[in-house]
Amino acid sequence: MASVARSCTRLGSSATAASRSCPTRTTASSTARRVCIRQTFQNSSRRGYASGPSGASSRTPYIVGALALAGIGGGAYYLRNNPSLSQAKEGTSGETRGVFTPTKDDYQKVYNLVASRLEEKDDYDDGSYGPVIVRLAWHCSGTYDKMTNTGGSNGATMRFAPEGDHGANAGLKAARDFLEPVKQQFPWITYSDLWTLAGVCAIQEMQGPVIPWRPGRTDRDVSMCTPDGRLPDGAKEQSHLRAIFGRMGFDDREIVTLSGAHALGRCHTDRSGFEGPWTFSPTVVTNDYYKLLMNEKWSFRKWDGPKQYQDVASKSLMMLPTDMALIKDKEFKKHVERYAEDNDVFFKDFRDVLVKLLELGVPFQSKPEDRMELKPTTAE
């Protein structure tokens, strides 16, 4: 995939030079480059079960007086932590043109940039940053505690060392760094909205269901970091799963549904200690995870690492103890069977449960019916 992308880059090099002198003109070569990159990204994935602005300040005295009364420090803090609520638009000379309230079209532009980077940046596991972006959205949301109403995606506190250094978040710096150019291009969006929107984008661009999403999260400071131990430990079994997910407010069916995200990505020995992918198509959202759990034979892997399972047939796939718990426990297993039999049923439930996960603990000013569905670029 990387070699094809480089070929596409060479194909579009002359178009890039031309576009610098005439930015409003789209050449055939640049169009061909975009098409080539997109086709390469899409063709690398397969669905189905397989066996093998300027900083100028306003000079209006009324505004200065208002800031003085409110306290410059406090005003700056509020705007910095709530940039998605409203933004002052500035003209080319820095004059204030009005208040900027992001619309669906603005969020679609953010989505499209994330999607474009997912197509072009193929230097990560299995040729896609998609799975690790999903993991970032998952982990920043999965710290929610319904008893204390703390944690969750509101805050983006993984930006700070106490939380970013938690063992369960090892490797997620790659995802945060991947999204930083998007934040720089759209500074009005909060990190916490960006991370969750990016997770939605990754799911949809990897051929998953369309996920309704809404903005309204704010960024918080280091004092709001959550304690370690709120995310699942793959080395444990069903009682642990019920304790971790129950703290967030999920039932048995929802636990099994969210586990389906293991259709994506792989484990790394330098992060979790475990190693390998769960499925043969780790950059495509499918119900293969459930099919493999039900249909393959699994045995303990003989190695120096932590306890994990491998498939008997190819010895190239792995399952964690928490994965195997889903078929050992009869209440979990009935949901595994249902999803293994019907991908559409899985997609419907996964969409609904992911919306719930990404909204845990968020004090939205909007209503659930204000959620928006952002258009996948793969549908173009």
Side-chain angles (χ1 to χ4, degrees):
M1 178 174 178
S3 62
V4 177
R6 286 193 291 269
S7 297
C8 294
T9 301
R10 291 195 294 271
L11 175 64
S13 62
S14 62
T16 302
S19 67
R20 292 194 185 101
S21 62
C22 186
T24 60
R25 179 178 300 166
T26 301
T27 66
S29 296
S30 63
T31 300
R33 178 173 182 264
R34 289 195 297 271
V35 170
C36 186
I37 291 173
R38 177 162 294 159
Q39 289 177 342
T40 301
F41 176 77
Q42 293 172 356
N43 290 339
S44 69
S45 303
R46 52 192 173 85
R47 181 184 299 285
Y49 177 56
S51 57
S54 130
S57 60
S58 172
R59 301 183 183 183
T60 306
Y62 298 102
I63 296 177
V64 173
L67 283 174
L69 289 172
I72 293 175
Y77 177 85
Y78 179 82
L79 291 173
R80 184 172 65 251
N81 286 276
N82 298 271
S84 65
L85 298 179
S86 63
Q87 292 286 322
K89 273 191 176 180
E90 295 183 354
T92 54
S93 61
E95 73 275 11
T96 299
R97 296 192 299 168
V99 174
F100 171 49
T101 300
T103 65
K104 180 180 179 180
D105 286 344
D106 294 306
Y107 289 109
Q108 184 70 59
K109 290 174 184 177
V110 177
Y111 179 106
N112 291 347
L113 181 56
V114 175
S116 176
R117 288 180 59 77
L118 286 172
E119 291 178 4
E120 296 176 2
K121 302 293 182 180
D122 61 357
D123 56 344
Y124 199 71
D125 288 348
D126 305 299
S128 176
Y129 276 86
V132 74
I133 297 300
V134 172
R135 183 168 165 246
L136 174 64
W138 203 124
H139 282 216
C140 76
S141 304
T143 57
Y144 182 67
D145 183 338
K146 66 181 183 181
M147 299 300 294
T148 61
N149 195 32
T150 58
S153 64
N154 194 51
T157 47
M158 201 192 301
R159 292 170 295 144
F160 306 109
E163 191 170 328
D165 289 347
H166 291 170
N169 293 329
L172 289 179
K173 184 179 185 298
R176 300 194 299 271
D177 289 349
F178 175 89
L179 293 173
E180 192 59 32
V182 182
K183 173 65 172 173
Q184 296 305 311
Q185 185 163 334
F186 299 99
W188 49 265
I189 192 170
T190 62
Y191 278 103
S192 45
D193 273 343
L194 174 60
W195 291 355
T196 54
L197 185 154
V200 166
C201 176
I203 290 290
Q204 296 185 176
E205 296 301 306
M206 291 188 291
Q207 304 180 44
V210 172
I211 311 295
W213 176 89
R214 56 176 165 161
R217 298 162 188 83
T218 59
D219 294 335
R220 298 180 175 184
D221 61 28
V222 66
S223 68
M224 300 303 293
C225 283
T226 58
D228 201 357
R230 287 193 176 185
L231 293 167
D233 181 347
K236 298 184 179 181
E237 298 194 352
Q238 51 263 50
S239 60
H240 172 75
L241 287 175
R242 288 192 170 100
I244 292 293
F245 285 90
R247 188 205 69 236
M248 295 183 241
F250 292 115
D251 59 25
D252 283 359
R253 178 186 62 82
E254 293 169 318
I255 293 171
V256 177
T257 307
L258 286 174
S259 297
H262 281 176
L264 302 170
R266 60 174 63 236
C267 288
H268 306 76
T269 55
D270 61 340
R271 298 176 187 178
S272 63
F274 302 106
E275 182 181 56
W278 287 268
T279 71
F280 292 108
S281 51
T283 62
V284 186
V285 184
T286 68
N287 64 339
D288 282 3
Y289 168 76
Y290 305 107
K291 289 183 176 181
L292 289 162
L293 271 173
M294 294 299 302
N295 301 332
E296 293 295 321
K297 292 183 178 180
W298 300 90
S299 63
F300 287 118
R301 177 180 176 180
K302 296 179 180 179
W303 73 317
D304 293 333
K307 175 183 176 181
Q308 70 176 65
Y309 297 80
Q310 66 180 8
D311 69 304
V312 173
S314 73
K315 294 181 171 57
S316 62
L317 301 178
M318 70 98 209
M319 290 287 172
L320 305 174
T322 46
D323 297 313
M324 299 305 293
L326 300 184
I327 56 175
K328 290 180 179 180
D329 185 285
K330 66 179 183 179
E331 294 302 316
F332 284 152
K333 187 176 180 179
K334 65 183 182 182
H335 301 298
V336 174
E337 293 173 332
R338 191 162 60 94
Y339 295 146
E341 292 172 359
D342 195 325
N343 189 70
D344 291 340
V345 170
F346 166 55
F347 269 28
K348 178 184 180 300
D349 285 359
F350 187 68
R351 176 197 65 204
D352 295 343
V353 179
L354 191 61
V355 169
K356 178 178 176 178
L357 173 68
L358 299 182
E359 295 190 353
L360 290 175
V362 182
F364 289 109
Q365 299 300 308
S366 61
K367 299 176 182 178
E369 53 265 34
D370 295 324
R371 294 179 184 128
M372 59 187 76
E373 293 186 356
L374 300 171
K375 184 180 179 181
T377 63
T378 52
E380 296 176 353

